[in-house]
Structures are given as C-alpha cells and as structure tokens.
Amino acid sequence: NKPSARQRDLAISRVIDHLNGARSSPLKMAKLCEVARVSERTLQYAFNARYGMSPYRFAIQWRLNSARRELRCASRAGHSIAEVALRYGFDNPSLFAQRYRELFSELPSETLVRPDGR
C-alpha cells in the first residue's frame, strides 16, 4: 500500500522538527524513520521526491546551514567554530570543515571572520 502524499509530507515535517530539536544527536537512518513513523523506503522516496536527495544528506545539509547561520554571528557571541560544529553534531572538526567547504565553497573560518555577516 503506497503512502499518500499527506503521509510523506507528515514524515518530512516530523524529521525536520526532530532536526531542530535534537541538533547534536547522531544521525541514524533508523532514528529518522522512527521519528517520521514510516519505513526507510517511504522516507527515502519522500525526500527524493521533494528535495532530490536522501534524508541523511538533507539532514547533513540542514545542520550545515544551521551552523552557517550561527557562525555568521558567532564572533559577536564569542563562540568558536569547534563549539558551533559540536552543537550541530559534528564531533570531527576536519570533517565539518570539509563538508562545510563542499556546500558553501568556503571554510567555516572565512564565514566567521567576514565583517558583513553574509
């Protein structure tokens, strides 16, 4: 029985709510499926249909974008890159920097020191 568009939308919404509330918890597909209350296949289909990517990749990009927003004002708040990375579940600073650069074409340190906050 194929899940309805409404069920897939609810699953995506639940995952996004989870990402906002548990930003530093490890990303596990089983946990995302549990939160979404759907099978892995349904969750994969829902995210691929809406965003063109897997739920895991979406979650990584969601966290990186959240970290970027925080880094833009981190120097004023006195936060370091490592603190921001840990807050969003990246416990390996070099992997965080690598993924950050792949997505934004700059290092986290470049975002942190930019005076215009963009």
Side-chain angles (χ1 to χ4, degrees):
N1 203 11
K2 186 177 177 181
S4 69
R6 174 82 174 128
Q7 288 171 312
R8 291 189 305 269
D9 289 345
L10 280 172
I12 289 171
S13 179
R14 288 178 185 129
V15 168
I16 291 171
D17 287 346
H18 172 73
L19 292 173
N20 283 326
R23 59 185 180 185
S24 66
S25 66
L27 288 175
K28 304 282 186 200
M29 193 62 183
K31 180 64 177 177
L32 296 178
C33 291
E34 177 187 321
V35 166
R37 300 182 214 149
V38 295
S39 69
E40 183 173 339
R41 180 155 172 73
T42 297
L43 197 59
Q44 291 279 357
Y45 179 76
F47 273 86
N48 279 319
R50 180 173 298 167
Y51 299 109
M53 66 181 74
S54 72
Y56 182 80
R57 184 169 176 208
F58 176 88
I60 293 293
Q61 288 189 7
W62 183 272
R63 286 183 171 186
L64 287 168
N65 274 292
S66 298
R68 183 177 176 84
R69 282 191 298 275
E70 195 165 319
L71 284 172
R72 287 180 172 163
C73 56
S75 61
R76 291 186 299 263
H79 299 291
S80 71
I81 294 168
E83 289 172 325
V84 172
L86 277 172
R87 194 169 298 122
Y88 290 96
F90 297 98
D91 55 356
N92 181 330
S94 62
L95 183 59
F96 171 71
Q98 176 188 350
R99 287 184 171 174
Y100 190 96
R101 186 174 201 170
E102 287 169 1
L103 186 59
F104 302 115
S105 300
E106 70 179 18
L107 291 170
S109 57
E110 294 171 304
T111 302
L112 185 66
V113 299
R114 206 174 24 237
D116 62 1
R118 287 189 219 161

Coordinates of all heavy atoms in Angstrom, one line a residue, residues 15-79:
V15 N 10.6 14.8 10.6 CA 12.1 14.7 10.6 C 12.7 16.1 10.8 O 13.6 16.3 11.5 CB 12.6 14.1 9.2 CG1 14.1 14.3 9.1 CG2 12.3 12.6 9.2
I16 N 12.1 17.1 10.1 CA 12.6 18.5 10.3 C 12.4 19.0 11.7 O 13.3 19.6 12.3 CB 11.9 19.4 9.3 CG1 12.4 19.1 7.8 CG2 12.2 20.9 9.6 CD1 11.7 19.8 6.7
D17 N 11.3 18.7 12.3 CA 11.1 19.0 13.7 C 12.1 18.3 14.6 O 12.7 18.9 15.5 CB 9.7 18.6 14.2 CG 8.6 19.5 13.6 OD1 8.9 20.6 13.1 OD2 7.4 19.1 13.7
H18 N 12.4 17.1 14.3 CA 13.4 16.4 15.1 C 14.8 17.0 14.9 O 15.6 17.2 15.9 CB 13.5 14.9 14.6 CG 14.6 14.1 15.2 ND1 14.7 13.7 16.5 CD2 15.8 13.7 14.6 CE1 15.8 13.1 16.7 NE2 16.5 13.0 15.6
L19 N 15.2 17.4 13.7 CA 16.4 18.0 13.4 C 16.6 19.3 14.2 O 17.6 19.7 14.7 CB 16.6 18.3 11.9 CG 16.8 17.1 11.0 CD1 16.8 17.4 9.6 CD2 18.1 16.3 11.4
N20 N 15.5 20.1 14.3 CA 15.5 21.3 15.1 C 15.7 21.1 16.6 O 16.3 21.9 17.3 CB 14.3 22.1 14.8 CG 14.3 22.8 13.5 OD1 15.4 23.3 13.0 ND2 13.2 22.9 12.8
G21 N 15.0 20.0 17.0 CA 15.1 19.8 18.5 C 16.2 18.9 19.0 O 16.6 19.0 20.1
A22 N 16.8 18.1 18.1 CA 17.9 17.2 18.5 C 19.1 17.5 17.6 O 19.6 16.6 17.0 CB 17.4 15.8 18.4
R23 N 19.5 18.7 17.6 CA 20.5 19.1 16.6 C 21.9 18.5 16.8 O 22.6 18.4 15.8 CB 20.6 20.6 16.5 CG 21.0 21.3 17.8 CD 21.0 22.8 17.7 NE 21.4 23.4 19.0 CZ 21.3 24.6 19.2 NH1 21.0 25.5 18.3 NH2 21.7 25.1 20.4
S24 N 22.2 18.0 18.0 CA 23.6 17.5 18.2 C 23.5 15.9 18.3 O 24.6 15.3 18.4 CB 24.2 18.0 19.4 OG 23.5 17.7 20.6
S25 N 22.3 15.3 18.2 CA 22.3 13.9 18.3 C 22.8 13.2 17.0 O 22.7 13.8 16.0 CB 20.8 13.4 18.6 OG 20.0 13.7 17.5
P26 N 23.4 12.0 17.2 CA 23.9 11.3 16.0 C 22.8 11.1 14.9 O 21.6 10.9 15.3 CB 24.4 10.0 16.5 CG 24.5 10.2 18.0 CD 23.5 11.2 18.4
L27 N 23.2 11.2 13.7 CA 22.2 11.0 12.6 C 22.2 9.5 12.2 O 23.2 9.0 11.7 CB 22.6 11.8 11.4 CG 22.4 13.3 11.5 CD1 22.9 14.0 10.2 CD2 20.9 13.6 11.7
K28 N 21.1 8.9 12.5 CA 20.9 7.5 12.2 C 19.7 7.3 11.4 O 18.6 7.9 11.8 CB 20.8 6.6 13.5 CG 22.0 6.7 14.4 CD 23.2 5.9 13.9 CE 24.3 6.0 14.9 NZ 25.5 5.7 14.4
M29 N 19.7 6.6 10.3 CA 18.5 6.4 9.5 C 17.4 5.8 10.2 O 16.2 6.1 10.1 CB 18.9 5.6 8.2 CG 17.9 5.6 7.2 SD 17.6 7.2 6.5 CE 16.3 6.9 5.4
A30 N 17.7 4.8 11.1 CA 16.7 4.1 11.9 C 16.0 5.1 12.8 O 14.7 5.0 12.9 CB 17.3 3.0 12.7
K31 N 16.7 6.1 13.4 CA 16.1 7.1 14.2 C 15.2 8.0 13.4 O 14.1 8.4 13.8 CB 17.1 7.9 15.0 CG 16.6 8.9 15.9 CD 15.8 8.3 17.0 CE 15.3 9.4 18.0 NZ 14.4 8.9 19.0
L32 N 15.6 8.4 12.2 CA 14.8 9.3 11.4 C 13.5 8.6 11.0 O 12.5 9.2 10.9 CB 15.6 9.7 10.1 CG 16.9 10.6 10.4 CD1 17.6 10.9 9.1 CD2 16.5 11.9 11.1
C33 N 13.6 7.3 10.7 CA 12.4 6.5 10.3 C 11.5 6.4 11.5 O 10.2 6.5 11.4 CB 12.8 5.1 9.8 SG 13.6 5.1 8.2
E34 N 12.0 6.2 12.7 CA 11.2 6.1 13.9 C 10.5 7.4 14.2 O 9.3 7.4 14.4 CB 12.1 5.8 15.1 CG 11.5 5.7 16.4 CD 12.5 5.5 17.6 OE1 13.4 4.8 17.4 OE2 12.3 6.2 18.6
V35 N 11.2 8.5 14.0 CA 10.6 9.8 14.2 C 9.5 10.1 13.2 O 8.5 10.7 13.5 CB 11.7 10.9 14.2 CG1 11.2 12.3 14.0 CG2 12.6 10.8 15.4
A36 N 9.8 9.7 12.0 CA 8.9 10.0 10.9 C 7.7 9.1 10.9 O 6.7 9.3 10.2 CB 9.6 9.9 9.5
R37 N 7.8 7.9 11.6 CA 6.8 6.9 11.7 C 6.5 6.3 10.3 O 5.3 6.0 10.0 CB 5.5 7.4 12.3 CG 5.8 7.9 13.7 CD 4.5 8.4 14.3 NE 4.8 9.5 15.2 CZ 3.9 10.5 15.5 NH1 2.8 10.6 14.9 NH2 4.3 11.5 16.3
V38 N 7.5 6.1 9.5 CA 7.4 5.4 8.2 C 8.6 4.5 8.0 O 9.6 4.6 8.7 CB 7.3 6.5 7.0 CG1 6.1 7.3 7.1 CG2 8.5 7.3 7.0
S39 N 8.5 3.7 7.0 CA 9.6 2.8 6.6 C 10.8 3.6 6.0 O 10.6 4.7 5.5 CB 9.2 1.7 5.6 OG 8.9 2.3 4.4
E40 N 11.9 3.0 5.9 CA 13.1 3.7 5.3 C 12.8 4.0 3.8 O 13.1 5.0 3.3 CB 14.3 2.8 5.4 CG 15.6 3.4 4.9 CD 16.8 2.7 5.2 OE1 16.9 1.8 6.1 OE2 17.8 2.9 4.4
R41 N 12.2 3.0 3.2 CA 11.9 3.2 1.7 C 10.9 4.4 1.5 O 11.1 5.2 0.6 CB 11.2 1.9 1.2 CG 10.9 2.1 -0.3 CD 10.9 0.7 -1.0 NE 10.4 0.7 -2.3 CZ 11.0 1.2 -3.4 NH1 12.2 1.8 -3.2 NH2 10.5 1.2 -4.6
T42 N 9.9 4.5 2.4 CA 9.0 5.6 2.3 C 9.7 7.0 2.5 O 9.5 7.9 1.8 CB 7.8 5.4 3.3 OG1 7.1 4.3 2.9 CG2 6.9 6.6 3.2
L43 N 10.5 7.0 3.6 CA 11.3 8.2 3.9 C 12.2 8.6 2.7 O 12.3 9.8 2.4 CB 12.0 8.0 5.2 CG 12.5 9.3 5.9 CD1 11.3 10.2 6.2 CD2 13.2 9.0 7.1
Q44 N 12.9 7.6 2.2 CA 13.8 7.9 1.0 C 13.0 8.4 -0.1 O 13.4 9.4 -0.7 CB 14.5 6.6 0.6 CG 15.5 6.0 1.5 CD 16.8 6.7 1.4 OE1 17.1 7.5 0.6 NE2 17.7 6.3 2.3
Y45 N 11.9 7.8 -0.4 CA 11.0 8.3 -1.5 C 10.5 9.7 -1.3 O 10.6 10.5 -2.2 CB 9.9 7.3 -1.7 CG 8.9 7.7 -2.8 CD1 9.3 7.6 -4.2 CD2 7.7 8.4 -2.6 CE1 8.4 8.0 -5.2 CE2 6.9 8.8 -3.6 CZ 7.3 8.6 -4.9 OH 6.4 9.0 -5.9
A46 N 10.1 10.0 -0.1 CA 9.6 11.3 0.3 C 10.6 12.4 0.1 O 10.3 13.4 -0.5 CB 9.0 11.3 1.7
F47 N 11.8 12.2 0.6 CA 12.9 13.2 0.5 C 13.4 13.3 -0.9 O 13.7 14.4 -1.4 CB 14.0 12.9 1.5 CG 13.8 13.5 2.8 CD1 13.0 12.8 3.8 CD2 14.2 14.7 3.2 CE1 12.8 13.3 5.0 CE2 14.0 15.3 4.4 CZ 13.3 14.6 5.3
N48 N 13.5 12.2 -1.6 CA 14.0 12.3 -3.0 C 12.9 13.0 -3.9 O 13.3 13.8 -4.8 CB 14.2 10.9 -3.6 CG 15.6 10.4 -3.2 OD1 16.6 11.1 -3.2 ND2 15.7 9.1 -2.8
A49 N 11.7 12.7 -3.7 CA 10.6 13.4 -4.4 C 10.6 14.9 -4.2 O 10.4 15.7 -5.1 CB 9.3 12.8 -4.1
R50 N 10.7 15.3 -2.9 CA 10.6 16.7 -2.6 C 11.9 17.5 -2.8 O 11.9 18.6 -3.3 CB 10.1 16.9 -1.2 CG 10.0 18.4 -0.9 CD 9.4 18.9 0.4 NE 8.1 18.5 0.5 CZ 7.4 18.6 1.7 NH1 8.1 19.0 2.8 NH2 6.2 18.2 1.8
Y51 N 13.1 16.9 -2.3 CA 14.3 17.6 -2.3 C 15.4 17.1 -3.2 O 16.5 17.7 -3.4 CB 14.9 17.6 -0.9 CG 14.0 18.3 0.1 CD1 13.3 17.6 1.1 CD2 13.8 19.7 0.1 CE1 12.5 18.2 2.0 CE2 12.9 20.3 1.0 CZ 12.3 19.6 1.9 OH 11.4 20.2 2.8
G52 N 15.1 15.9 -3.9 CA 16.1 15.4 -4.8 C 17.3 14.8 -4.1 O 18.4 14.8 -4.6
M53 N 17.2 14.4 -2.8 CA 18.3 13.9 -2.0 C 17.8 12.9 -1.0 O 16.6 13.0 -0.6 CB 19.2 15.0 -1.4 CG 18.5 15.8 -0.4 SD 19.5 17.1 0.3 CE 19.5 18.3 -1.0
S54 N 18.7 12.2 -0.4 CA 18.3 11.3 0.7 C 18.0 12.0 2.0 O 18.4 13.2 2.1 CB 19.4 10.3 0.9 OG 20.5 10.9 1.6
P55 N 17.3 11.4 2.9 CA 17.0 12.1 4.2 C 18.3 12.3 4.9 O 18.5 13.4 5.6 CB 16.2 11.1 5.0 CG 15.7 10.1 4.0 CD 16.6 10.1 2.8
Y56 N 19.3 11.4 4.8 CA 20.5 11.6 5.5 C 21.3 12.9 5.0 O 21.7 13.7 5.7 CB 21.4 10.4 5.4 CG 22.7 10.5 6.2 CD1 22.8 10.3 7.5 CD2 23.9 10.8 5.5 CE1 24.0 10.5 8.2 CE2 25.1 11.0 6.2 CZ 25.1 10.8 7.5 OH 26.3 10.9 8.2
R57 N 21.4 12.9 3.6 CA 22.0 14.1 3.0 C 21.3 15.4 3.4 O 21.9 16.4 3.6 CB 22.1 13.9 1.5 CG 22.9 15.0 0.8 CD 23.2 14.7 -0.6 NE 23.8 15.8 -1.2 CZ 23.7 16.1 -2.5 NH1 23.1 15.3 -3.3 NH2 24.3 17.2 -3.0
F58 N 20.0 15.3 3.3 CA 19.2 16.5 3.7 C 19.5 16.9 5.2 O 19.7 18.1 5.4 CB 17.7 16.2 3.6 CG 16.8 17.3 4.1 CD1 16.4 18.3 3.2 CD2 16.4 17.4 5.4 CE1 15.6 19.4 3.6 CE2 15.6 18.5 5.9 CZ 15.2 19.4 5.0
A59 N 19.6 16.0 6.1 CA 19.9 16.3 7.5 C 21.3 16.9 7.6 O 21.4 17.8 8.4 CB 19.8 15.0 8.3
I60 N 22.3 16.4 6.9 CA 23.6 17.0 7.0 C 23.6 18.4 6.5 O 24.1 19.3 7.1 CB 24.6 16.1 6.1 CG1 24.8 14.7 6.8 CG2 25.9 16.8 6.0 CD1 25.5 14.8 8.1
Q61 N 22.9 18.6 5.3 CA 22.8 20.0 4.8 C 22.0 20.9 5.7 O 22.4 22.1 5.9 CB 22.3 20.0 3.4 CG 23.2 19.4 2.4 CD 22.8 19.6 1.0 OE1 21.8 20.2 0.6 NE2 23.6 19.0 0.0
W62 N 21.0 20.4 6.3 CA 20.2 21.2 7.3 C 21.1 21.6 8.4 O 21.1 22.8 8.8 CB 19.0 20.3 7.8 CG 18.1 21.0 8.7 CD1 18.3 21.2 10.1 CD2 16.9 21.7 8.4 NE1 17.2 21.9 10.6 CE2 16.4 22.3 9.6 CE3 16.3 22.0 7.2 CZ2 15.2 23.0 9.6 CZ3 15.1 22.7 7.2 CH2 14.6 23.2 8.4
R63 N 21.9 20.7 9.0 CA 22.8 21.0 10.1 C 23.9 22.0 9.6 O 24.2 22.9 10.4 CB 23.4 19.8 10.7 CG 22.4 19.0 11.5 CD 23.0 17.8 12.1 NE 22.0 17.2 13.1 CZ 22.3 16.2 13.9 NH1 23.5 15.7 13.9 NH2 21.4 15.7 14.7
L64 N 24.4 21.8 8.5 CA 25.5 22.7 8.0 C 24.9 24.1 7.8 O 25.6 25.1 8.1 CB 26.1 22.2 6.7 CG 27.0 21.0 6.8 CD1 27.3 20.4 5.4 CD2 28.3 21.4 7.5
N65 N 23.7 24.2 7.2 CA 23.1 25.6 7.1 C 22.8 26.2 8.4 O 23.0 27.4 8.6 CB 21.8 25.4 6.2 CG 22.0 25.5 4.8 OD1 22.5 26.5 4.2 ND2 21.8 24.3 4.1
S66 N 22.4 25.4 9.4 CA 22.1 25.9 10.7 C 23.4 26.4 11.3 O 23.5 27.5 12.0 CB 21.5 24.9 11.6 OG 20.2 24.5 11.1
A67 N 24.5 25.6 11.2 CA 25.8 26.0 11.7 C 26.3 27.3 11.0 O 26.8 28.2 11.7 CB 26.8 24.9 11.5
R68 N 26.0 27.4 9.7 CA 26.4 28.6 9.0 C 25.7 29.9 9.5 O 26.4 30.9 9.7 CB 26.2 28.5 7.5 CG 26.6 29.6 6.6 CD 26.3 29.3 5.2 NE 26.6 30.4 4.3 CZ 27.8 30.7 3.8 NH1 28.8 29.9 4.1 NH2 28.0 31.7 3.0
R69 N 24.4 29.8 9.8 CA 23.7 30.9 10.3 C 24.3 31.3 11.7 O 24.4 32.5 12.0 CB 22.2 30.5 10.5 CG 21.4 30.6 9.2 CD 19.9 30.5 9.5 NE 19.5 29.3 10.1 CZ 19.3 28.1 9.4 NH1 19.4 28.1 8.1 NH2 18.9 27.0 10.0
E70 N 24.7 30.3 12.5 CA 25.2 30.6 13.8 C 26.6 31.2 13.7 O 27.0 32.1 14.4 CB 25.2 29.4 14.7 CG 25.5 29.7 16.1 CD 25.1 28.6 17.0 OE1 24.1 27.9 16.8 OE2 25.9 28.4 18.0
L71 N 27.4 30.7 12.7 CA 28.8 31.2 12.5 C 28.8 32.7 12.1 O 29.7 33.4 12.4 CB 29.6 30.4 11.5 CG 30.1 29.0 12.0 CD1 30.6 28.2 10.8 CD2 31.1 29.2 13.1
R72 N 27.8 33.1 11.4 CA 27.7 34.5 10.9 C 27.6 35.5 12.1 O 28.0 36.6 11.9 CB 26.5 34.7 10.0 CG 26.7 34.0 8.7 CD 25.5 34.2 7.8 NE 25.8 33.8 6.5 CZ 24.8 33.5 5.6 NH1 23.6 33.7 5.9 NH2 25.2 33.1 4.4
C73 N 27.2 35.0 13.2 CA 27.2 35.9 14.4 C 27.9 35.3 15.6 O 27.9 35.9 16.7 CB 25.7 36.3 14.8 SG 24.7 34.9 15.2
A74 N 28.7 34.3 15.3 CA 29.4 33.6 16.4 C 30.5 34.5 17.0 O 30.7 34.4 18.2 CB 30.0 32.3 15.9
S75 N 31.2 35.3 16.2 CA 32.3 36.1 16.7 C 31.8 37.1 17.7 O 32.4 37.4 18.7 CB 33.1 36.7 15.6 OG 32.3 37.6 14.9
R76 N 30.6 37.7 17.4 CA 30.0 38.6 18.3 C 29.5 38.0 19.6 O 29.5 38.6 20.6 CB 28.8 39.3 17.6 CG 29.2 40.2 16.5 CD 28.0 41.0 15.9 NE 27.0 40.1 15.4 CZ 26.8 39.8 14.1 NH1 27.7 40.3 13.3 NH2 25.9 39.0 13.7
A77 N 29.1 36.7 19.5 CA 28.6 36.0 20.6 C 29.7 35.3 21.4 O 29.5 34.7 22.5 CB 27.6 34.9 20.2
G78 N 30.9 35.3 20.8 CA 32.1 34.7 21.5 C 32.2 33.1 21.3 O 32.8 32.5 22.1
H79 N 31.5 32.6 20.3 CA 31.6 31.1 20.1 C 32.7 30.8 19.1 O 32.9 31.6 18.1 CB 30.2 30.6 19.5 CG 29.1 30.9 20.4 ND1 28.9 30.2 21.6 CD2 28.0 31.7 20.3 CE1 27.8 30.6 22.2 NE2 27.2 31.5 21.4

